[in-house]
Amino acid sequence: MSNFVTVSQLVKENNLKVYGGEDLLDKKNITTSDISRPGIELTGYFDYYPSERIQLFGQTESAYSHSMTTNNRYKVMREICRDDTPALLISRNIKPSQELLDAAKENGVPVIGSALPTTRLSSLITEYLDEKLAPRESVHGVLVDVYGIGIMLTGHSGIGKSETALELVKRGHRLIADDRVDIYQQDEKTIVGEAPKILNHLLEIRGIGIIDVMNLFGAGAVRTSSDVQLIINLEDWQADKSYDRLGSMEETRTFFDVGVPQITIPVKVGRNISIIIEVAAMNFRAKKMGFDATKKFEENLGSLIQENGQKNAEDGESK
């Protein structure tokens, strides 16, 4: 988990421009993804001012500030620029007033901007900060994209996760992460996984070593990140263990209070795990679309039992 994002990172990774305080970008830290639009503060009300947030000036805020007198505008901008204020952000390429720049410089607050409309800019920066500041967890496994479904393969070391991922890549699917998957919660329902930077596009195959999947198979064989939509746990086949044969035993694995569906696939000689995973992905997508083969089977079974019951009753009456 990252406790902060520097304003310098924010500027570089979101193509923002700097109007003032360039020497402060590496020193100012952002600790919350919440963004404030100082509307009521421009009238002089600061009793509940969230100064620790990025302060976003859109067309409305800028127009109102320009209607103020020079002295009043400077006084209000000094109140807005506080020690814990990470930055003032201006949308729509609006030129900041000299009073804003002077107050920001005096209080050590960088002034940055963008050509984007205010709402879009607010959404972009919030999503960026949500991702960067989100709690993270490192999971032992392999993450692959199969038919657009993010599948995380888990299981003990040596079970064949990486080899299975390699075969899936050869069959046209995409690798996101091998051996270690860094996951974070994007929203209330979504878990996202990605590879640690040091392992990007790399796959370890015992007996061969580390291979660069993008170099060998092309850019279409990899992805930087993916939603974790399904977990497939690979385990050694045990003759005395009862495995789910109907698909009715639903399991989930929880990350950050978000439950991710999980199925277990037993591994033994003769089973083509890659094809089974492809079918699992298609079946998962079909269920999301409302088609459930298990329910269909149960409905067919119920109809057959009802028909046999009626037939037996008729045969009994005829006797």
Side-chain angles (χ1 to χ4, degrees):
M1 176 180 178
S2 178
N3 294 321
F4 64 85
V5 174
T6 66
V7 176
S8 177
Q9 286 177 270
L10 180 73
V11 169
K12 290 176 183 176
E13 297 179 18
N14 293 278
N15 297 316
L16 303 179
K17 60 182 69 176
V18 181
Y19 292 113
E22 191 164 0
D23 58 319
L24 301 168
L25 300 184
D26 288 318
K27 302 174 185 177
K28 300 294 285 189
N29 297 330
I30 306 165
T31 58
T32 176
S33 62
D34 295 327
I35 293 177
S36 176
R37 295 186 64 175
I40 194 171
E41 288 82 5
L42 291 174
T43 68
Y45 185 82
F46 285 91
D47 287 1
Y48 299 99
Y49 173 51
S51 58
E52 74 285 355
R53 303 179 185 178
I54 291 175
Q55 304 300 316
L56 173 59
F57 288 78
Q59 198 165 28
T60 303
E61 292 80 10
S62 298
Y64 184 83
S65 69
H66 282 296
S67 71
M68 301 162 65
T69 64
T70 300
N71 288 338
N72 196 26
R73 182 163 53 243
Y74 178 65
K75 180 180 177 182
V76 169
M77 293 306 169
R78 285 188 63 187
E79 283 286 340
I80 288 175
C81 298
R82 299 188 178 179
D83 290 340
D84 59 345
T85 304
L88 305 184
L89 176 61
I90 305 174
S91 65
R92 293 182 175 273
N93 275 338
I94 297 171
K95 184 179 179 180
S97 66
Q98 189 59 48
E99 291 77 20
L100 184 150
L101 292 172
D102 291 342
K105 182 178 181 180
E106 183 179 331
N107 291 279
V109 179
V111 181
I112 56 180
S114 169
L116 292 175
T118 312
T119 302
R120 279 189 60 196
L121 180 60
S122 177
S123 177
L124 173 72
I125 300 303
T126 299
E127 287 180 11
Y128 169 81
L129 293 175
D130 276 340
E131 176 184 336
K132 292 295 183 181
L133 298 173
R136 291 176 179 262
E137 182 179 332
S138 186
V139 180
H140 176 64
V142 176
L143 184 59
V144 288
D145 178 308
V146 181
Y147 298 130
I149 306 297
I151 298 179
M152 184 158 67
L153 307 178
T154 62
H156 67 74
S157 183
I159 193 68
K161 299 184 295 295
S162 297
E163 290 80 0
T164 300
L166 178 60
E167 187 171 350
L168 287 167
V169 167
K170 287 197 67 177
R171 295 174 67 87
H173 306 293
R174 294 184 285 181
L175 173 74
I176 292 101
D178 176 53
D179 188 54
R180 206 174 94 214
V181 184
D182 287 347
I183 61 171
Y184 63 90
Q185 183 177 351
Q186 187 178 62
D187 54 43
E188 290 77 10
K189 297 181 180 180
T190 309
I191 297 294
V192 176
E194 59 188 13
K197 288 185 179 180
I198 195 172
L199 299 176
N200 250 346
H201 310 150
L202 302 180
L203 191 63
E204 180 189 354
I205 303 297
R206 284 176 173 80
I208 296 178
I210 296 174
I211 64 173
D212 189 324
V213 172
M214 188 168 75
N215 184 47
L216 293 181
F217 298 95
V222 296
R223 281 188 65 179
T224 55
S225 66
S226 170
D227 294 353
V228 181
Q229 297 167 276
L230 177 65
I231 297 172
I232 295 181
N233 184 50
L234 304 179
E235 66 173 38
D236 293 316
W237 181 286
Q238 300 176 45
D240 58 345
K241 184 174 179 178
S242 177
Y243 294 103
D244 186 10
R245 300 180 66 182
L246 298 178
S248 57
M249 296 169 60
E250 294 186 355
E251 299 178 63
T252 58
R253 182 170 173 180
T254 302
F255 301 105
F256 310 115
D257 298 325
V258 178
V260 180
Q262 175 176 291
I263 61 176
T264 297
I265 294 179
V267 177
K268 73 172 183 177
V269 177
R271 299 198 89 199
N272 192 319
I273 302 302
S274 299
I275 291 178
I276 293 173
I277 289 172
E278 286 181 331
V279 173
M282 290 187 288
N283 190 52
F284 176 82
R285 187 164 58 182
K287 285 184 177 181
K288 285 286 186 182
M289 297 171 66
F291 302 100
D292 193 332
T294 302
K295 290 183 179 179
K296 182 66 175 176
F297 172 77
E298 291 173 348
E299 289 172 3
N300 292 344
L301 181 61
S303 297
L304 182 60
I305 292 172
Q306 188 176 5
E307 289 174 9
N308 289 338
Q310 290 176 351
K311 184 178 179 181
N312 290 337
E314 291 171 359
D315 289 343
E317 290 177 0
S318 64
K319 291 179 181 179

